[in-house]
Amino acid sequence: MSLFITFEGPEGSGKSTQARYLKDYLQQAGYPVILTREPGGTPISDAVRRLVLDGQWTAMEPTTETLLFAAARAQLVGEVILPYLKLGGIVLCDRYADSTFAHQGYGLGRNLTELREITRFATGGLQPDVTFFLDLPVEQGLQRKRKQRDDFRESSQLALPLPHLPQPTPSQSEHWNRLDAREIAYHERVRNGYLEMIAADQQRWQVFDADIERETLTAQLLAAVQPYLSTIKTLS
Ligand SMILES: Nc1ncnc2c1ncn2[C@@H]1O[C@H](COP(=O)(O)OP(=O)(O)O)[C@@H](O)[C@H]1O
Ligand SMILES: [Mg+2]
């Protein structure tokens, strides 16, 4: 058996942080586990990531954006996720198809039925076994992201500046991308979209309040993952 876990939630809710902690824990406990993220996770998908999240592309059509995310996902599923699941491993994915429904669907107003068809085409219908939703008020999450971006900017300033090197800009940073920069109402629609999807499928989703200490949340996620581990063979 294998296990496919995805992390979803508003910007800055701690998805990437918690996914890393969970991966470290599972690895130390002897489980075969990989952590990957969307968009990205393969050289081709990372190239698409740079394109789709780059803040300079203000003219990108919602349909183009949707198809680029789907393309990155198709490559990740085919090259990484499915092969690892077939080996019996655990795959943790920082965002997956639900991000498309939340962002391009609820956020940008693309038709949800069409998005489901595109997603099925891109993934071959692969669904997570469980999805952790880390919930946080939108403004609070964006605040965390802005701080992360500013800390990153500060830490990447050269003590002795070389004038010919470009200064890091938000679009070049991992911590503030084209989607993060969207208006607050967009992020509210995204969060409400998630809540609507959760209400419609409570089997797969597990919801966590992300406005708590990092360690406390990690402990809650570890407890939530335990029941799924019984079918996974450890490496030792
Ligand atoms: N529980 C927490 N409390 C306070 N800050 C947090 C917490 N979890 C993560 N952070 C910080 O918030 C920022 C965004 O976290 P990140 O994991 O990148 O969020 P996401 O991947 O959901 O956008 C980071 O600077 C991170 O260190
Ligand atoms: Mg993240």
Side-chain angles (χ1 to χ4, degrees), residues 86-234:
K86 281 193 181 134
L87 291 174
I90 303 173
V91 176
L92 307 179
C93 197
D94 181 356
R95 295 189 174 284
Y96 186 62
D98 297 305
S99 283
T100 283
F101 306 131
H103 282 263
Q104 286 72 45
Y106 292 93
L108 294 181
R110 295 292 93 178
N111 181 282
L112 284 169
T113 307
E114 287 176 348
L115 290 181
R116 278 191 277 270
E117 285 166 13
I118 290 164
T119 301
R120 219 208 64 75
F121 181 64
T123 63
L126 178 70
Q127 294 247 34
D129 297 300
V130 58
T131 300
F132 293 146
F133 181 70
L134 310 189
D135 196 21
L136 195 67
V138 160
E139 187 50 58
Q140 205 175 328
L142 292 172
Q143 201 75 41
R144 284 185 186 175
K145 279 269 159 183
R146 279 190 287 264
K147 183 174 180 315
Q148 194 180 24
R149 173 194 62 183
D150 295 344
D151 291 351
F152 172 78
R153 268 190 192 155
E154 266 168 39
S155 69
S156 52
Q157 302 288 336
L158 292 172
L160 296 172
L162 294 170
H164 67 282
L165 290 180
Q167 288 299 303
T169 64
S171 69
Q172 289 169 311
S173 160
E174 267 292 297
H175 306 301
W176 192 259
N177 63 47
R178 196 170 61 82
L179 270 60
D180 297 331
R182 286 180 174 153
E183 59 185 8
I184 191 92
Y186 169 85
H187 293 286
E188 293 287 1
R189 288 196 298 279
V190 168
R191 176 168 175 266
N192 290 332
Y194 275 124
L195 295 178
E196 208 173 302
M197 290 192 278
I198 291 163
D201 182 5
Q202 302 199 5
Q203 276 280 86
R204 174 166 64 87
W205 292 87
Q206 294 203 24
V207 180
F208 298 85
D209 177 4
D211 185 15
I212 56 174
E213 289 286 318
R214 242 162 281 187
E215 295 74 15
T216 314
L217 184 50
T218 305
Q220 290 179 3
L221 293 171
L222 287 175
V225 89
Q226 287 305 326
Y228 295 91
L229 296 177
S230 57
T231 64
I232 308 293
K233 284 203 187 82
T234 51

